[in-house]
Amino acid sequence: MNSVPLSAYLVLALILFCIGLYGALTKRNAVIVLISIELMLNAVNINLVAFSKLGTAPSISGQIFTLFTITVAAVEAAVGLAILMSLYNRRKTVNVDEMDQLKH
Amino acid sequence: MDLLNSYQNNYLIVFVFLCLGILLPVVALFLGKLLRPHKPEEAKYTTYESGIEPFHDSRIQFNVRYYIFALMFVIFDVETVFLYPWAVAYDKLGIFALIEMLIFVIMLAIGLIYAWKKKVLRWM
Amino acid sequence: MNADTLLSYQWGQMAPEFIILGVAALLSLLDLFLPKSYNRRSLAWIALVGILIAVLSLIGLFDSKTASILHDTFRLDSFGKAFKLILLIGAACVIVLAESYDPREGFKKYRGEFYYLFLTGLLGAMVMTSSGDLITLFVGLELLSVSSYILAGMRKKHAGSNEAAIKYVINGGISTAITLFGMSYLYGLTGTTNLMEMKDVMTAQAASGQYMYLYGLAFFMVLVGLSFKLASAPFHMWAPDVYQGSPTPVTAFLSVVSKTAGFVILLRILLTLFLTMPGDESQTFSFLETHSIYISCLAGISIIAGNVIALRQRNIKRMFAYSSIAHAGYILVAISALGYFTFDAVWFYLMAYLLMNLGAFAVIQLITDASNSEDIADFAGLYRRSPLLAAGFAVFILSLAGIPGTAGFIGKLNIFMNALMTDPGHFVLASIMIGGTVISYFYYFGIMTQMFFRPAATTEKIKVPAGIGTVVVIALAGTILFGVAPNTALDFLHHNFGSFNDFLK
Amino acid sequence: MVEDLLASSPGLLNFGIFFLLATVLLLVILGFVTYAILAERKVMGFMQLRQGPNQVGGRWGLLQTVADVLKLLIKEDTIPKAADKPLFILAPVIAFAPAFMVVAVIPFTDKLQFADIGVGLLYYIAISGLSTVGIVAGGWASNNKYALLGGMRAAAQMISYEIPLVMSVLGVILLAGSLNLNDIVDAQSNGWFILKQPIGFIIFLIASIAELNRTPFDLPEAESELVAGFHVEYSGFRWAFFMLSEYVYLFAMASLTTVLFLGGWGPLPFMDFIPGAVWFSLKFSLIVFLLIWVRVTLPRMRADQLMEFGWKVLLPVALANIFLTALLKELVDFM
Amino acid sequence: MNDLLLSILVFSPLLGILVLCMISRSNERAVKWAGILATVPALALSLFLYSSYLGGSDLSAFSIKLDWIRFGNLADVDSKLFAVDYELALDGFALLMVLLTAVLSTLAAIASVSISKEWKGYFMLFLLLETGMLGVFMAQNMVLFFIFFEITLIPAFFLIGKWGYFEKEKAAYSFLIYNGFGSAVLLIVIMVLFARAGTSNIEALSYIINVGGVSLVAPISEGMKYGLLIALLIAFGVKLPIFPLHTWMLRVHVQAPPPIVMLHAGVLLKIGAFGLIRFGLGIFPEQFKDLSVIIAVLGVINLLYGAFLAFIQNEFKMVLAYSSISHMGIVLIGLGALNESGIQGAIFQVVSHGLIAALLFFLVGVIHERVQTTALPNLGGLSHNMPLTSGFLLAGAMASLGLPGMSGFISEFMAFLGLFKTDPLLAGIGALGIIITAVYLLRAVMGMTFGRQGASVRTRLVSDLNALEMVPVLVLLAFIVTIGVYPTILSNPLEDTIQLIMTGIRGQAG
């Protein structure tokens, strides 16, 4: 059993990223959109960790970067949910396409 | 090579445990199916609500408080992501890391105080 | 690492950042522990004093040599100083605006929070200006973004504010993810996150033609992600809604400080990494030159879309959102042209934009607060109600439209020169830019029409609060001074920061 | 022999051997659970001045739990009509599998350990969190108001106490300088961490009781308010798996406490003639007894007290403990 | 002192703005007097300059040059590179234009007493407009030229949009957008030259482009030179206006307040011609020569198009607006001829049409004020009530159609003389326009002054010109006749300029 090649991780990350992007752009429910964004950020994490272990020039900084990415992902999720809650309290909806008061 | 093998073997064991953990309920429930009786009756399949007839859907909106605690959890849990490597490598890092982490945790503490003062931590 | 290395760092280099951080922490504690009945407006003055001290300490650092601390993650070069100055001045003005901000509903309770979140956002932007490392850049960017998300949603009871915030979070999150994905490739190909080391590795690799395709992909993703932050078309969808829904000082913050920070990170990444990197094996053109067409496209589309869509806006903040998209396009022209004047042009334009836009937002804030509506018809007859205010606003608008005698004109001149002096010149881009400017006359002068030609609904005189008055006067003085005697700014720039020669060293 | 096995390249054969060994462990654990329940009932009985089970299987009711299990096995299986069927079936499995998985990394003695993972402690914490998903899923799938409430409470409680739990362990990690459980045990060869980390231990103990959903923190299944909490609608063997996972966790948590704070298999000074396995089981039993004792002694907390205690007391104390530890370590190193 | 004279001349109206700031807005008399008096210093100074120039003194003594903006950090390399100086100077041609501007400004200010609202704002903008116009003619580098050029735009926009007639806002907008477009194109030309040559000084540029031998920041290819010239043609073509770009000008002439139309027709349109001669001929003589036929053709088209359409208008203002287009065609014809008499004719036409148009529009304003209409069917028999007005109107029309002895004749004659030398066929077609001009002007003016009394004239009690209104009319008429009888007062100052242009053209040819 050989170790998994770098490209496999990269492809996985790319697929995850694309799924996340698709979800973030097409889903109506804001919670799902936020989760999709988390998915994209996790794809980044996979990339970073894979590069840091198996990349052309392995180094620890990729893993450190990942720590920061994880934190930022958490912060974004937290802020996003908090804002969503305050929106929900007023509008009683979490659907992105119903948020259209600010048009014209 | 030994090291790699041992590394992989250890995770193989974890995988074995995962399989067993899933297999046991499956097997047990399958065995149970052979043994247990099956006498369906309408009343048996109603939802239990202390004796009265169940009314409207039970899947109510979660109270907002749960989300707030979830947010708090996310924030503090992620901070431990930083604390763990720091603790492991503390011997090598020395006083600088201590001061650095102290600043970091003071920031966190301000966050906690903030939540406290804003009455987020009140379960009411 | 021991205490000696710790002390050997020139911590003074980070003095402005430390001051802002300290004031932000202080304000947050004050806000928490001051009694509820206390009027938190006075916290604005503390924030202002903090910013001014930071400005002073930054001026004290002008003479210090380019240096980097913390393993090259923080480098104080002339680029950093020059743009920090813009950020700080902009922030000081916005704080003063915020002090006078008093909408009818839903802000009072969160006033204290506004000031320190604002400072943390500023801190993020400042960290970005002098980062030498992808990680610090990213952390700075996120500090700014996350603070702005909350700021946008500050008026919790106001539906528009909520909507603006959630849209901002979603779009910001997507853009962050895209940028990061690009960054992860850049890291993976070079094996380091230090910008200078990355540059060396990339130059070496590109010379042998390695990974060009992946570099192209990474470049593209970083560019796309960051252009979300700049609100340049076609990634601008969030900007109008966010600008419209946010509290007015936040809108001013977003359009000035946040946008400046966006350009800072764009310049840092693009110029440091891709400028010296060869575009192909033949090494005739640099990577940035061969790929500048993408930036040019962004610039062109931003200018056209921003100006054209602004034509049909009735909401003043929304109109300024589109106008700010167009202005982002103008600055991108300077970046994509990559001439001798790029830094000068970007710096000067951002400075001019800061002054004229903040001045305009000061007036907008005053009028929209007073009438509780944001329709441009609220400006009708402003000339009657307050001639001086109308004249000031007219100057800001003229400057935004790029009429001579104002800072906006000199800024545009700089950008044009930058775009046309290269060979082959960017004629198409320059023509689009100037065409966009002409289109912009329609809506800018539409506001003028309202102010000067239309009768006012009420003849009630407008009382100008001291804070807004100060900002208007400062912005007015700056706009006219830099328009009539632009060398005051240009000489200052060259005298203190040279030609940004230390950017790549 | 085990070393050779570990050194050989992984394959199907290894899988088979590991599988057999793990099955043995599983049986041991099942045995433990059977008798832990009995022991708990007995201890509770004695503390409350009564007998406890004493009819089935001889004087001490030795076969009482066995009989209970058999009863559950042949009980009719009902899934409420309104329930979300797939999730309802899946929930006990999700709850149980992680409980068993965490046992993989616990070192019982220096020889008797299954997986020796570098980040063993992290693994334990990460996997143990997954059970919450099972419990919430169970509560949600039942489509029952009590169950949903219980599930939500379980989630809130678990995430609230996860933080102090994780933070309290940091002191141990600081002292040991590793996340590997073996290293942590080794680091205790000249002084158990319960002595060096008394505050950490207390926080850990409290948080672990909360994580185990045991009295005084058994709000998710509070009989008097929520009937049975998240597993109201469960019966028969599905219900048994929730119970099973709870007791497996008891097993795992007691083992972990032993490893982290009581020196694992390490003997008391001058008594190393007694084998490590015995030491381990002694300490382990002590912890289990302690947990039972707590259950009998203390009343259930109110929901709001529970949450506020976690955030306002445990978390700040845990944070302070970390820095106290780091500071002491720094000072001691200097001196 | 001498070198400050031009600056004082340009910025003296701004002084008036300061004075106006201090006067209360309700004090109508004081505001109007201050506004009129503020235009006097410029007039006095320009008359002084003119007389001393005719007296033989050298205009270069008055030029001024100060460091102003320097782009880039290149002081160590070359202090002149990418520098924009504040430099004002005059030559004969510019002096004429300045004088024309000063005279028309004062007269328009006098005509502005009929303004009925917001006098303070009106005069402030009016004076700002005057500063811009004066500056345009004196600027010695293209950036400065552009700045003054744009400064005229803003006050004109407000003056049209606020004090004009019924459709004033629409007119103001189309003025703004067309001219904005024009100046945008101009800006591109300026910036290309500036960015590539590193200087925007007109003399330096014409040296660099035509003689060369200077290393440029980036090369300017031959093709690019043609592109730049065509861009210039478009930019100034909007201003002038040249045929397809003229529609805005009609609106402005109809909707703007009369004094502003005086200035607009008298000076602002001429900036186009001035710029075309200064930059087109000055910097790109060789390319201009290659395009001269096109310019001449455009001139003929303008002439005929304007004339034909003026013929069918029912609104006197529209007749005059189209006649302006038609007359600007003559300027183009003169330029297209590209010989001495042609260019002289063009410049003569610039000045003379400035005076004539001002006169006619002033009279139109007077009539409109009294009769509230300028539609031809409603007018008629004005001579009965307003004999003086009718007489002057007739005189103006005569000057306009080129009656010998008046200024219009000289300019048209010389322009056509020039074109007959180079392209007789085109000139022949163009001459047709002259005839039509006579027809439409006489049709309109005769219909107004004599003929059956129109409804509007009958129903209103209309009075003739008053004393104050006589001033502009007489002054303008005096100038018109003087030039017509004694053209040397124009041709003398122009000699140097025309010689310079001719050497530019010939120098390249040879």
Side-chain angles (χ1 to χ4, degrees), chain E residues 153-166:
Chain E
L153 204 63
I154 305 308
F157 169 80
F158 283 108
L159 287 168
I160 298 166
K162 194 159 177 68
W163 286 274
Y165 295 112
F166 185 63

PDB file of all heavy atoms in Angstrom, chain E residues 153-166:
ATOM      1  N   LEU E 153     -17.028  74.854 -18.593  1.00  0.00           N
ATOM      2  CA  LEU E 153     -18.141  73.904 -18.735  1.00  0.00           C
ATOM      3  C   LEU E 153     -19.138  74.025 -17.584  1.00  0.00           C
ATOM      4  O   LEU E 153     -20.354  74.062 -17.797  1.00  0.00           O
ATOM      5  CB  LEU E 153     -17.538  72.500 -18.764  1.00  0.00           C
ATOM      6  CG  LEU E 153     -18.335  71.405 -19.432  1.00  0.00           C
ATOM      7  CD1 LEU E 153     -18.501  71.738 -20.890  1.00  0.00           C
ATOM      8  CD2 LEU E 153     -17.614  70.078 -19.280  1.00  0.00           C
ATOM      9  N   ILE E 154     -18.612  74.067 -16.371  1.00  0.00           N
ATOM     10  CA  ILE E 154     -19.480  73.965 -15.198  1.00  0.00           C
ATOM     11  C   ILE E 154     -20.376  75.188 -15.030  1.00  0.00           C
ATOM     12  O   ILE E 154     -21.592  75.063 -14.932  1.00  0.00           O
ATOM     13  CB  ILE E 154     -18.627  73.723 -13.933  1.00  0.00           C
ATOM     14  CG1 ILE E 154     -17.753  72.508 -14.138  1.00  0.00           C
ATOM     15  CG2 ILE E 154     -19.504  73.562 -12.716  1.00  0.00           C
ATOM     16  CD1 ILE E 154     -18.486  71.282 -14.598  1.00  0.00           C
ATOM     17  N   PRO E 155     -19.797  76.424 -15.051  1.00  0.00           N
ATOM     18  CA  PRO E 155     -20.703  77.574 -14.915  1.00  0.00           C
ATOM     19  C   PRO E 155     -21.697  77.645 -16.057  1.00  0.00           C
ATOM     20  O   PRO E 155     -22.865  77.989 -15.836  1.00  0.00           O
ATOM     21  CB  PRO E 155     -19.756  78.779 -14.922  1.00  0.00           C
ATOM     22  CG  PRO E 155     -18.415  78.287 -15.225  1.00  0.00           C
ATOM     23  CD  PRO E 155     -18.384  76.826 -15.047  1.00  0.00           C
ATOM     24  N   ALA E 156     -21.243  77.296 -17.259  1.00  0.00           N
ATOM     25  CA  ALA E 156     -22.177  77.354 -18.383  1.00  0.00           C
ATOM     26  C   ALA E 156     -23.332  76.397 -18.153  1.00  0.00           C
ATOM     27  O   ALA E 156     -24.500  76.725 -18.419  1.00  0.00           O
ATOM     28  CB  ALA E 156     -21.441  77.007 -19.679  1.00  0.00           C
ATOM     29  N   PHE E 157     -23.026  75.221 -17.631  1.00  0.00           N
ATOM     30  CA  PHE E 157     -24.086  74.249 -17.340  1.00  0.00           C
ATOM     31  C   PHE E 157     -25.124  74.853 -16.405  1.00  0.00           C
ATOM     32  O   PHE E 157     -26.332  74.786 -16.645  1.00  0.00           O
ATOM     33  CB  PHE E 157     -23.462  73.000 -16.714  1.00  0.00           C
ATOM     34  CG  PHE E 157     -24.456  72.039 -16.134  1.00  0.00           C
ATOM     35  CD1 PHE E 157     -25.153  71.161 -16.942  1.00  0.00           C
ATOM     36  CD2 PHE E 157     -24.709  72.014 -14.759  1.00  0.00           C
ATOM     37  CE1 PHE E 157     -26.070  70.285 -16.406  1.00  0.00           C
ATOM     38  CE2 PHE E 157     -25.618  71.141 -14.219  1.00  0.00           C
ATOM     39  CZ  PHE E 157     -26.308  70.267 -15.047  1.00  0.00           C
ATOM     40  N   PHE E 158     -24.638  75.471 -15.348  1.00  0.00           N
ATOM     41  CA  PHE E 158     -25.591  76.024 -14.377  1.00  0.00           C
ATOM     42  C   PHE E 158     -26.326  77.221 -14.947  1.00  0.00           C
ATOM     43  O   PHE E 158     -27.519  77.395 -14.719  1.00  0.00           O
ATOM     44  CB  PHE E 158     -24.858  76.423 -13.094  1.00  0.00           C
ATOM     45  CG  PHE E 158     -24.521  75.248 -12.235  1.00  0.00           C
ATOM     46  CD1 PHE E 158     -23.222  74.812 -12.118  1.00  0.00           C
ATOM     47  CD2 PHE E 158     -25.516  74.570 -11.568  1.00  0.00           C
ATOM     48  CE1 PHE E 158     -22.913  73.712 -11.335  1.00  0.00           C
ATOM     49  CE2 PHE E 158     -25.216  73.485 -10.785  1.00  0.00           C
ATOM     50  CZ  PHE E 158     -23.912  73.056 -10.677  1.00  0.00           C
ATOM     51  N   LEU E 159     -25.591  78.044 -15.676  1.00  0.00           N
ATOM     52  CA  LEU E 159     -26.234  79.241 -16.210  1.00  0.00           C
ATOM     53  C   LEU E 159     -27.354  78.868 -17.165  1.00  0.00           C
ATOM     54  O   LEU E 159     -28.431  79.469 -17.152  1.00  0.00           O
ATOM     55  CB  LEU E 159     -25.194  80.105 -16.925  1.00  0.00           C
ATOM     56  CG  LEU E 159     -24.226  80.832 -15.983  1.00  0.00           C
ATOM     57  CD1 LEU E 159     -23.061  81.412 -16.753  1.00  0.00           C
ATOM     58  CD2 LEU E 159     -24.947  81.913 -15.209  1.00  0.00           C
ATOM     59  N   ILE E 160     -27.085  77.854 -17.990  1.00  0.00           N
ATOM     60  CA  ILE E 160     -28.140  77.416 -18.911  1.00  0.00           C
ATOM     61  C   ILE E 160     -29.261  76.744 -18.130  1.00  0.00           C
ATOM     62  O   ILE E 160     -30.444  77.015 -18.326  1.00  0.00           O
ATOM     63  CB  ILE E 160     -27.568  76.449 -19.960  1.00  0.00           C
ATOM     64  CG1 ILE E 160     -26.516  77.149 -20.801  1.00  0.00           C
ATOM     65  CG2 ILE E 160     -28.688  75.912 -20.844  1.00  0.00           C
ATOM     66  CD1 ILE E 160     -25.673  76.208 -21.623  1.00  0.00           C
ATOM     67  N   GLY E 161     -28.859  75.864 -17.229  1.00  0.00           N
ATOM     68  CA  GLY E 161     -29.862  75.027 -16.562  1.00  0.00           C
ATOM     69  C   GLY E 161     -30.737  75.785 -15.583  1.00  0.00           C
ATOM     70  O   GLY E 161     -31.854  75.371 -15.298  1.00  0.00           O
ATOM     71  N   LYS E 162     -30.249  76.863 -15.024  1.00  0.00           N
ATOM     72  CA  LYS E 162     -31.053  77.523 -14.014  1.00  0.00           C
ATOM     73  C   LYS E 162     -31.749  78.774 -14.544  1.00  0.00           C
ATOM     74  O   LYS E 162     -32.870  79.072 -14.168  1.00  0.00           O
ATOM     75  CB  LYS E 162     -30.181  77.898 -12.811  1.00  0.00           C
ATOM     76  CG  LYS E 162     -31.010  78.270 -11.593  1.00  0.00           C
ATOM     77  CD  LYS E 162     -30.203  78.138 -10.330  1.00  0.00           C
ATOM     78  CE  LYS E 162     -31.007  78.572  -9.120  1.00  0.00           C
ATOM     79  NZ  LYS E 162     -32.126  77.689  -8.807  1.00  0.00           N
ATOM     80  N   TRP E 163     -31.083  79.489 -15.444  1.00  0.00           N
ATOM     81  CA  TRP E 163     -31.653  80.771 -15.858  1.00  0.00           C
ATOM     82  C   TRP E 163     -32.209  80.733 -17.277  1.00  0.00           C
ATOM     83  O   TRP E 163     -32.575  81.748 -17.825  1.00  0.00           O
ATOM     84  CB  TRP E 163     -30.605  81.871 -15.731  1.00  0.00           C
ATOM     85  CG  TRP E 163     -30.356  82.252 -14.306  1.00  0.00           C
ATOM     86  CD1 TRP E 163     -31.058  83.163 -13.589  1.00  0.00           C
ATOM     87  CD2 TRP E 163     -29.366  81.739 -13.424  1.00  0.00           C
ATOM     88  NE1 TRP E 163     -30.572  83.246 -12.319  1.00  0.00           N
ATOM     89  CE2 TRP E 163     -29.527  82.374 -12.179  1.00  0.00           C
ATOM     90  CE3 TRP E 163     -28.355  80.783 -13.541  1.00  0.00           C
ATOM     91  CZ2 TRP E 163     -28.718  82.109 -11.077  1.00  0.00           C
ATOM     92  CZ3 TRP E 163     -27.557  80.505 -12.452  1.00  0.00           C
ATOM     93  CH2 TRP E 163     -27.741  81.174 -11.236  1.00  0.00           C
ATOM     94  N   GLY E 164     -32.240  79.560 -17.884  1.00  0.00           N
ATOM     95  CA  GLY E 164     -32.683  79.472 -19.275  1.00  0.00           C
ATOM     96  C   GLY E 164     -34.199  79.463 -19.393  1.00  0.00           C
ATOM     97  O   GLY E 164     -34.925  79.739 -18.439  1.00  0.00           O
ATOM     98  N   TYR E 165     -34.648  79.124 -20.612  1.00  0.00           N
ATOM     99  CA  TYR E 165     -36.088  79.104 -20.869  1.00  0.00           C
ATOM    100  C   TYR E 165     -36.675  77.747 -20.528  1.00  0.00           C
ATOM    101  O   TYR E 165     -36.084  76.954 -19.817  1.00  0.00           O
ATOM    102  CB  TYR E 165     -36.356  79.502 -22.324  1.00  0.00           C
ATOM    103  CG  TYR E 165     -35.958  80.918 -22.595  1.00  0.00           C
ATOM    104  CD1 TYR E 165     -34.882  81.210 -23.433  1.00  0.00           C
ATOM    105  CD2 TYR E 165     -36.624  81.967 -21.974  1.00  0.00           C
ATOM    106  CE1 TYR E 165     -34.505  82.515 -23.658  1.00  0.00           C
ATOM    107  CE2 TYR E 165     -36.251  83.278 -22.196  1.00  0.00           C
ATOM    108  CZ  TYR E 165     -35.194  83.554 -23.037  1.00  0.00           C
ATOM    109  OH  TYR E 165     -34.827  84.839 -23.241  1.00  0.00           O
ATOM    110  N   PHE E 166     -37.802  77.452 -21.162  1.00  0.00           N
ATOM    111  CA  PHE E 166     -38.618  76.329 -20.724  1.00  0.00           C
ATOM    112  C   PHE E 166     -37.859  74.998 -20.617  1.00  0.00           C
ATOM    113  O   PHE E 166     -37.883  74.354 -19.587  1.00  0.00           O
ATOM    114  CB  PHE E 166     -39.818  76.180 -21.659  1.00  0.00           C
ATOM    115  CG  PHE E 166     -40.764  75.138 -21.206  1.00  0.00           C
ATOM    116  CD1 PHE E 166     -41.427  75.285 -19.992  1.00  0.00           C
ATOM    117  CD2 PHE E 166     -40.972  73.993 -21.956  1.00  0.00           C
ATOM    118  CE1 PHE E 166     -42.291  74.321 -19.553  1.00  0.00           C
ATOM    119  CE2 PHE E 166     -41.837  73.022 -21.498  1.00  0.00           C
ATOM    120  CZ  PHE E 166     -42.493  73.185 -20.310  1.00  0.00           C
TER     121      PHE E 166
END
